[in-house]
Amino acid sequence: MRTQLKICVLGTTVLLASCSTQKEENVNLSVEQSTINNVDKSINPGDDFYSFATNNWIKNNPRPEFWPVWSPSIIEDDKRKEKFVEEIQKCASASNADGTVEKIIGDFYSMYMDTVRLKADGTKPILPYLQKISSVDNKKDLIKLVAEEHSNWFFEIWVGPDPKDNKNNLVSIQMPSRMMEDYVLLGTNDYLKNLRSAYEKMIDDAFVLCGYERDKAVELRMKALNIKTQLASCTVDRNVYQDPTNYHKMSVKQATDSIGGFDMNQYLKDYGFDQTEIINVNIVEPLKNGCRVLTDASLDDLKAYVQCRMICDNVIYLGPELEQVWQKYLNVLSNNEDKTPRWKKSYDVAEVFMPEVLGHFYVNKFFSEKKREKVLDMIKYLKLAMNETIEEQEWMNDATKQEAVDKLNVMEAYVGYGSCFIDYSNLSFSRDVSLFENVRNYKKYVWEWYKTKNYNKPVDKGLWVIHPHVVNAYYHSYLSNINIMAAYLEKPRFDENADDVYNYAMAGTTIGHEITHGFDSNGRKLDKNGAIRDWWTTEDSNKFNALCESYVAYFDTLKVLPDVNCNGKLTLSENIADLGGLKAAFRALQLANADKKLEDKYGYTPEQRFFIYYANLWYIDSNEEFLRNKAMFDEHAVPSLRVNGPLPHIDEWYEAFDIKPGDKMYIPKERRVKIW
C-alpha cells in the first residue's frame, strides 16, 4: 500500500547490536541533565551549533567499529527493542490461542531462531516457485504470475484516497519510485560501481544457492539486471515523485491507450482488483516507458528478472547461507560488518514482513494513554502557534491567510495508533510449514484484509500506513492529518517526567514539522480537504516560490562531505518543515507557559535549552557511507544539517546565544528566509 505522505524519519535502518559500550555514569540522570551534558563548551555555538550541543556525547561514547551510525537515540531504541524481544520470547514459550498476535509473533520467533531447521530447509521452499517461473512459456502467463504476487516488480499499485475526493478510495499506479537500488544500477561514479559489483556478486551467489551452476547463475543475473536497469531508467527524479499533484484519473481503457497498449485491465484483474473501472495513473510517461520495456523484452530475460526479484525479496527466510550472502552486500553498502546476535535481529526481520503484528503487540504491551493526553495538549498549543505564524506573515494577503487558517483548523491528529488493527482469527500461521511459506501466507492474508478494508470502499482516515511500533511520525497530504507513532513517544524523544522545554524541543518540533508539511512546497498544493486545488493568489504564490528558491540555493551550499553538497531541491519540503516545526514549537512553548515563568536549569536559560535539546534530537555519529547514501536519495537532509541548516534563519536562536557577525553560521537578518 502506498499513499502520499510526508515522513519525519527519526532514525536509520541498522541491525542493532549490544549497547554495552555505553558509559554508565549518566544512567541515573534525567534525560534533561544527560542531554545538557552533551554540550561541548569548547565549540562556539555560532560556528557549529550541532557540534556545540552534542560533541561531548561522542567523546564519552565512541562509535563501535562495526556500527555505521551511533547516537543516544539508537541506544535507547535498542533498549526498547530488547524489551520488545523479551515479550516476544515469552509468547514463543507460552500456549497462545490461534489467531492472536501473541501466537503469530511467538511462532515466528521460534521458527526464526531454529537455525537447524532453517539450514535444513535452506532454499528448498522457494524452488517450486522458481521452477514455476522457469516453466512459463509465454509473456501473458508470466505477467499474470507477477500480478498475482501483489508485488512492485513491474508496477507500484495501491489503494488510497482520491486526491480530488478524499472521502473515497481510488486505485493508483506508477513505476516504483527511485531508491538506492536504482542508483546502484544506474550509477557512474566509482563508489556506485563498487556497490554494483557487490550487488552482482550477491545475486550470483543467491542463484547458486538456489541450485544453479555458477555459469548459469551469472547468465541469469545478467539477464535479470538487464531488465532491472531498464526499468530503473524509467523512474523519474524523486523530486517529481514528491509532488502530490501527480494525478491523471482515467478509465482503465484510457490508461491502456495512454501507456502504449499494455493490457492494464487484465493486469488489474489478475492483481485482484477485478472491479476496477477508473484509476489514477500517477505519472504517465515513466509508466509508458516501463510498459515498453516489458513489451520489448525477451521472455527469458523477464523470467530471470522475476526469479531474481522473488529470491531477493525472500533472502532472510530461506536459511542462514542465503541470509549471509545478503548480509555481505549490506556490509559493503554500509562499510561495516554486522555483528547483531540472532535473537535481537529477530525484531528487524519481523519488522520486514509482519509490521502489522508488531504494531498491535507494541500498543498492547507498552503504550500509555496518559502520553496521548499530554501530546494532544501539546498539539493544541502547536496549532495555536502555527495560527499566529500564518496571521503575521507579511508576504500573504488576507484571502490566502484565511484559506491557510481553515486548513490548519480542520487538521486532525492521531496519537499512538490508528483506528483499527487487523483481525487474525482466520490466519494460518503454523510451525508445521517452513518460515518461507508462513511469510507468504501472512502477506497474502494481510493483502486480502487491506483489500477488503479499502478497495471500492470509503476512506478510513485512521487507517495508518506506518505502524505504531515504528519510531516516526507523518503527515498525510490527502487526508490532512498528522500521525504520531506510539514508539516515538519514548525516551529520549519524549519523557512524561521532563519539563515542557524538553518535550516541546523534542516531540514538539516533530509535531510542528508534520503540521508545517501541510503548508510546505508540496502540501500547499492541497486544500483543507486534502484535494488538489490552488488556493493561493498568484502574487502570494510567486512570493512563496521566491522564498523557496532562496532556501534551495542556501541548502545547496551546505556540505555533507568535502565532495558532496546537500541537494536543496530534493530536501526542500523537509527543510521547510524543519524550519516551521522549530518556530512553531518555540512559540507553542511560550503559549503553553504564558501563566508561569520557565526556569533556568543547568546553567542555561529555557531558550538556550530548547535549541540544545533540539540539536540532540538529530544527533548521529556516522560513517561516510551513511552520509553519502543519505545525501544521494533521501528527501531529508543529513542530521547535522537538520540543525545547522534551519537555525541561522531563526531570530530567537541568535538572541538566545548572542550570535554575532563573524560567527560562521551568522546570516544577516535581511537574508534570513522566513517561510513559516
Side-chain angles (χ1 to χ4, degrees):
M1 185 175 64
R2 185 254 191 216
T3 190
Q4 182 72 25
L5 48 87
K6 298 304 297 183
I7 304 174
C8 190
V9 181
L10 291 153
T12 183
T13 303
V14 291
L15 298 179
L16 299 178
S18 172
C19 292
S20 59
T21 55
Q22 184 190 24
K23 294 196 174 182
E24 298 296 324
E25 60 263 26
N26 293 334
V27 71
N28 294 319
L29 296 178
S30 68
V31 290
E32 298 173 60
Q33 177 70 77
S34 60
T35 304
I36 289 295
N37 287 350
N38 296 338
V39 171
D40 185 344
K41 294 181 180 179
S42 70
I43 298 174
N44 177 11
D47 287 343
D48 181 355
F49 191 82
Y50 178 78
S51 296
F52 160 78
T54 64
N55 208 47
N56 268 0
W57 190 87
I58 199 61
K59 286 182 179 179
N60 296 320
N61 303 272
R63 175 164 52 93
E65 181 182 358
F66 55 91
W67 281 55
V69 294
W70 186 238
S71 74
S73 296
I74 288 173
I75 289 176
E76 291 298 328
D77 289 339
D78 189 48
K79 293 176 182 177
R80 178 180 58 84
K81 287 186 179 183
E82 285 188 5
K83 287 195 301 181
F84 209 143
V85 175
E86 287 173 3
E87 294 296 328
I88 293 173
Q89 290 168 335
K90 293 176 185 178
C91 294
S93 59
S95 297
N96 297 299
D98 290 340
T100 63
V101 293
E102 290 80 9
K103 176 73 162 58
I104 296 168
I105 207 167
D107 284 350
F108 157 74
Y109 181 81
S110 296
M111 297 188 73
Y112 183 72
M113 292 303 294
D114 188 354
T115 54
V116 173
R117 177 178 175 179
L118 284 170
K119 186 172 183 179
D121 286 345
T123 60
K124 289 196 291 287
I126 202 175
L127 298 185
Y129 297 92
L130 298 181
Q131 179 56 42
K132 182 179 180 180
I133 296 167
S134 181
S135 64
V136 172
D137 60 7
N138 63 83
K139 281 190 188 180
K140 182 178 179 180
D141 286 348
L142 183 65
I143 291 171
K144 174 181 172 66
L145 184 153
V146 171
E148 291 172 345
E149 287 292 319
H150 307 131
S151 69
N152 65 348
W153 299 347
F154 288 164
F155 315 114
E156 187 176 359
I157 300 178
W158 70 97
V159 176
D162 184 334
K164 289 194 175 181
D165 174 19
N166 74 353
K167 290 183 174 60
N168 294 296
N169 281 311
L170 176 69
V171 175
S172 293
I173 184 169
Q174 69 177 24
M175 293 302 294
S177 57
R178 179 171 294 175
M179 294 298 286
M180 188 64 197
E181 183 183 57
D182 289 354
Y183 286 99
V184 170
L185 291 170
L186 300 173
T188 57
N189 62 42
D190 291 342
Y191 171 69
L192 291 174
K193 286 180 180 178
N194 180 55
L195 290 181
R196 173 155 182 153
S197 295
Y199 185 65
E200 291 174 350
K201 176 68 163 56
M202 180 272 294
I203 295 175
D204 289 348
D205 291 346
F207 271 122
V208 168
L209 286 173
C210 288
Y212 294 95
E213 296 293 332
R214 176 66 61 174
D215 288 349
K216 182 63 175 179
V218 172
E219 177 188 337
L220 289 171
R221 181 259 298 166
M222 292 176 68
K223 290 179 177 180
L225 291 198
N226 173 41
I227 302 299
K228 268 179 172 277
T229 304
Q230 289 184 63
L231 290 176
S233 67
C234 295
T235 63
V236 297
D237 191 281
R238 286 181 65 80
N239 291 302
V240 177
Y241 277 116
Q242 289 186 59
D243 189 339
T245 62
N246 291 326
Y247 179 78
H248 301 89
K249 190 174 181 179
M250 60 186 75
S251 70
V252 175
K253 183 181 183 308
Q254 288 173 320
T256 295
D257 293 341
S258 69
I259 58 179
F262 183 90
D263 192 349
M264 191 54 65
N265 182 56
Q266 187 61 50
Y267 191 85
L268 289 168
K269 285 182 178 180
D270 294 337
Y271 195 87
F273 293 153
D274 55 344
Q275 301 297 318
T276 304
E277 297 179 357
I278 302 295
I279 65 172
N280 169 35
V281 178
N282 233 35
I283 313 175
V284 175
E285 197 62 25
L287 187 62
K288 182 178 181 179
N289 293 337
C291 289
R292 185 180 298 116
V293 171
L294 301 181
T295 301
D296 294 346
S298 72
L299 177 62
D300 284 348
D301 282 10
L302 282 178
K303 288 196 292 186
Y305 167 75
V306 174
Q307 287 179 313
C308 179
R309 289 301 302 260
M310 177 163 279
I311 294 170
C312 289
D313 279 8
N314 292 281
V315 289
I316 54 179
Y317 319 123
L318 292 166
E321 288 183 288
L322 190 56
E323 191 173 353
Q324 288 167 12
V325 165
W326 174 246
Q327 188 60 56
K328 286 180 181 178
Y329 170 66
L330 295 182
N331 291 346
V332 175
L333 189 64
S334 65
N335 192 30
N336 277 277
E337 181 181 356
D338 172 44
K339 295 186 178 181
T340 311
R342 190 171 185 84
W343 67 268
K344 189 177 292 186
K345 192 184 292 188
S346 67
Y347 177 95
D348 299 285
V349 175
E351 168 60 36
V352 172
F353 93 91
M354 55 192 299
E356 300 84 4
V357 168
L358 290 189
H360 195 160
F361 190 73
Y362 184 87
V363 169
N364 288 348
K365 289 292 181 181
F366 301 112
F367 186 62
S368 163
E369 291 297 328
K370 290 183 179 179
K371 290 181 180 179
R372 182 201 296 272
E373 295 171 9
K374 187 172 180 63
V375 172
L376 286 172
D377 187 64
M378 292 174 63
I379 291 172
K380 177 182 69 176
Y381 286 107
L382 284 157
K383 290 181 72 174
L384 285 173
M386 189 65 180
N387 192 313
E388 290 186 2
T389 298
I390 292 170
E391 293 286 4
E392 72 184 16
Q393 296 305 315
E394 297 179 355
W395 54 270
M396 296 178 76
N397 71 22
D398 290 342
T400 309
K401 284 181 182 179
Q402 187 58 54
E403 290 266 15
V405 169
D406 289 346
K407 182 172 184 177
L408 177 67
N409 288 340
V410 302
M411 195 178 287
E412 295 180 283
Y414 292 87
V415 178
Y417 53 92
S419 61
C420 60
F421 292 110
I422 295 176
D423 175 8
Y424 296 103
S425 57
N426 295 313
L427 172 64
S428 174
F429 198 101
S430 171
R431 301 188 194 187
D432 295 333
V433 299
S434 69
L435 179 59
F436 171 79
E437 287 294 348
N438 273 312
V439 169
R440 287 185 64 82
N441 290 340
Y442 176 87
K443 288 180 176 179
K444 181 179 179 181
Y445 185 92
V446 170
W447 188 88
E448 291 289 349
W449 186 90
Y450 274 113
K451 176 185 174 182
T452 301
K453 187 74 178 172
N454 291 289
Y455 181 55
N456 289 339
K457 298 288 175 62
V459 169
D460 179 350
K461 289 190 175 184
L463 188 60
W464 282 9
V465 297
I466 299 179
H467 301 286
H469 67 289
V470 179
V471 179
N472 223 317
Y474 72 93
Y475 171 75
H476 198 306
S477 299
Y478 299 134
L479 299 182
S480 195
N481 62 20
I482 56 175
N483 305 277
I484 315 298
M485 281 72 253
Y488 175 80
L489 301 174
E490 299 280 357
K491 295 179 183 178
R493 291 163 292 272
F494 181 85
D495 185 354
E496 291 172 277
N497 298 315
D499 70 5
D500 276 357
V501 178
Y502 184 87
N503 283 326
Y504 274 90
M506 303 292 270
T509 54
T510 295
I511 298 167
H513 172 107
E514 302 308 334
I515 291 172
T516 307
H517 270 315
F519 310 95
D520 68 18
S521 52
N522 291 318
R524 79 176 195 87
K525 298 174 183 178
L526 307 176
D527 66 15
K528 67 180 181 181
N529 298 315
I532 299 170
R533 180 173 69 86
D534 188 358
W535 45 271
W536 295 63
T537 66
T538 301
E539 183 181 7
D540 287 348
S541 183
N542 290 339
K543 289 178 180 178
F544 180 88
N545 290 336
L547 291 170
C548 289
E549 289 172 6
S550 296
Y551 215 39
V552 167
Y554 163 73
F555 268 90
D556 279 343
T557 68
L558 302 182
K559 288 288 184 183
V560 175
L561 292 165
D563 63 329
V564 178
N565 281 32
C566 182
N567 184 333
K569 185 177 180 182
L570 175 64
T571 57
L572 175 61
S573 66
E574 295 297 335
N575 293 337
I576 292 172
D578 282 343
L579 180 61
L582 261 164
K583 288 185 172 183
F586 189 90
R587 174 170 281 187
L589 173 64
Q590 318 304 320
L591 292 172
N593 291 274
D595 297 332
K596 58 184 177 182
K597 180 175 173 58
L598 295 168
E599 298 179 0
D600 292 359
K601 283 186 180 180
Y602 319 118
Y604 293 95
T605 67
E607 293 77 17
Q608 290 172 328
R609 287 191 293 119
F610 176 89
F611 292 112
I612 290 170
Y613 294 147
Y614 173 77
N616 279 272
L617 172 65
W618 295 112
Y619 177 68
I620 287 179
D621 177 54
S622 62
N623 65 11
E624 179 181 313
E625 283 71 19
F626 170 81
L627 295 175
R628 194 174 295 277
N629 292 340
K630 192 170 180 62
M632 189 183 308
F633 69 92
D634 194 341
E635 60 265 31
H636 303 80
V638 296
S640 62
L641 298 186
R642 299 192 76 165
V643 178
N644 287 355
L647 287 183
H649 299 274
I650 299 176
D651 295 342
E652 292 84 355
W653 173 70
Y654 286 84
E655 295 166 6
F657 290 93
D658 194 26
I659 308 300
K660 296 183 180 301
D663 293 334
K664 293 179 181 178
M665 291 176 62
Y666 179 87
I667 296 176
K669 192 164 187 175
E670 66 274 11
R671 287 174 45 207
R672 296 171 198 167
V673 176
K674 298 185 183 299
I675 301 178
W676 298 115

